[in-house]
Amino acid sequence: MVRLHIKKDRIKPDNWPIGMSLRIVALADIHACTAWMNVPRIDKIVAQANALKPDIVVLLGDYLSGMHLMFKSLPHNHWAESLARLEASLGVHAVLGNHDWWEDLQAQARRGGPTMAGNALEEVGIQLYSNDAKHFRKDGYGFWLAGLESQLALLANRRIPRRGVVGLDDLEGTLAQVTNDDPVVLMAHEPDIFPEVPERVSLTLSGHTHGGQVRVRGRAPAVPSRYGNQYAYGHVVEEGRHLLVSGGLGYSVLPLRFGVPPEINLIELG
């Protein structure tokens, strides 16, 4: 098993208040299963995340394995109960990923939620965001946390994933809920939304790509993004806008990582 890495980034967006410091821990792409991402493994990840003393924890989607032909998925309540042990003064907040939709046959059949993964999170007290925005205060300043629904939620043909995929994300409607000039942190499982994110958003946090799962000399040969390596991994700055793409924790397609170890992300914002 590849050793878990704590990836630290200090980000200072231009529109972030000088007097506010926000310590964010982000966990992405857990892909819970009975093999390498079982309950004891998730419990260790949770303990390491708590040891970082975050102000806020964000969960960036893909709790379900997506590799059910090779390994058994964990019961939803098992991985959710482990994540319920996460601790942060401003709470634990989550969005869903594409696999949380793709593996839910009932949600696919009705072309919408609720999902089993989303229900599992909410049942243990974790706040789920589906094109929602909520306001918080830290150090006497306010900020918004917004979360998009998956951009790859609904499959037109389950035998040919990614063909005719329909997203349920609503960036415009989500940001319309922001009612003042306080800065915004956006959770978006897939990073491909980033070119559409306005300067109004201080930081976009994403997962999904696993950093390509294999990286050589800073590039991945295969990335599940229409932008290739542009938004595959790490801190990206474009026209003053900031994106942080996590390398994630689990595996997808193949149980292989090279050059991009599983990681917990610690973001010092401000």
Side-chain angles (χ1 to χ4, degrees):
M1 184 177 293
V2 182
R3 186 175 180 179
L4 183 64
H5 176 60
I6 307 296
K7 176 71 164 50
K8 300 179 181 179
D9 287 275
R10 181 175 292 275
I11 301 175
K12 297 181 179 181
D14 290 340
N15 61 353
W16 194 261
I18 295 175
M20 178 167 55
S21 175
L22 187 66
R23 190 173 174 89
I24 305 172
V25 162
L27 306 179
D29 303 290
I30 291 170
H31 292 293
C33 64
T34 55
W36 54 83
M37 194 57 75
N38 53 26
V39 169
R41 175 69 168 169
I42 299 173
D43 284 344
K44 290 181 180 178
I45 291 169
V46 167
Q48 287 182 267
N50 287 341
L52 297 173
K53 303 296 182 183
D55 296 315
I56 194 167
V57 173
V58 297
L59 306 176
L60 300 176
D62 272 6
Y63 313 97
L64 306 190
S65 171
M67 298 179 68
H68 53 85
L69 296 179
M70 298 173 62
F71 303 99
K72 291 183 179 180
S73 297
L74 289 182
H76 301 311
N77 63 310
H78 289 191
W79 56 259
E81 288 171 0
S82 290
L83 293 178
R85 300 187 184 97
L86 288 163
E87 300 174 352
S89 58
L90 296 177
V92 182
H93 311 266
V95 292
L96 298 179
N98 57 300
H99 282 287
D100 305 319
W101 284 94
W102 291 2
E103 304 306 315
D104 192 327
L105 300 184
Q106 293 181 348
Q108 290 292 321
R110 63 175 169 262
R111 310 303 284 172
T115 63
M116 292 183 290
N119 287 341
L121 290 165
E122 292 187 314
E123 286 171 4
V124 297
I126 294 174
Q127 296 187 56
L128 180 66
Y129 293 62
S130 178
N131 301 320
D132 300 305
K134 297 181 180 180
H135 191 259
F136 297 86
R137 294 196 68 80
K138 174 71 168 49
D139 300 332
Y141 296 88
F143 74 94
W144 293 85
L145 180 66
L148 293 185
E149 193 51 86
S150 173
Q151 301 152 55
L152 301 171
L154 302 178
L155 294 169
N157 186 335
R158 286 189 56 80
R159 294 184 179 181
I160 313 176
R162 307 183 201 286
R163 177 176 294 181
V165 174
V166 176
L168 294 177
D169 56 300
D170 181 2
L171 179 62
E172 182 178 356
T174 301
L175 296 182
Q177 299 168 46
V178 175
T179 57
N180 60 27
D181 294 331
D182 290 344
V184 180
V185 175
L186 176 67
M187 300 181 288
H189 175 69
E190 300 92 354
D192 283 15
I193 194 70
F194 186 59
E196 302 173 34
V197 175
E199 293 181 15
R200 175 77 180 80
V201 175
S202 298
L203 174 64
T204 301
L205 296 170
S206 297
H208 181 62
T209 64
H210 302 200
Q213 215 163 272
V214 173
R215 294 183 69 78
V216 179
R217 296 181 179 178
R219 296 184 65 82
V223 181
S225 164
R226 65 180 182 270
Y227 296 100
N229 274 275
Q230 188 172 355
Y231 306 132
Y233 179 64
H235 182 201
V236 178
V237 182
E238 287 187 355
E239 299 175 353
R241 299 172 304 121
H242 295 262
L243 168 69
L244 193 287
V245 184
S246 172
L249 292 157
Y251 299 94
S252 183
V253 182
L254 292 173
L256 170 68
R257 277 185 180 265
F258 180 82
V260 55
E263 66 185 27
I264 293 173
N265 294 91
L266 174 63
I267 303 104
E268 298 278 3
L269 191 56

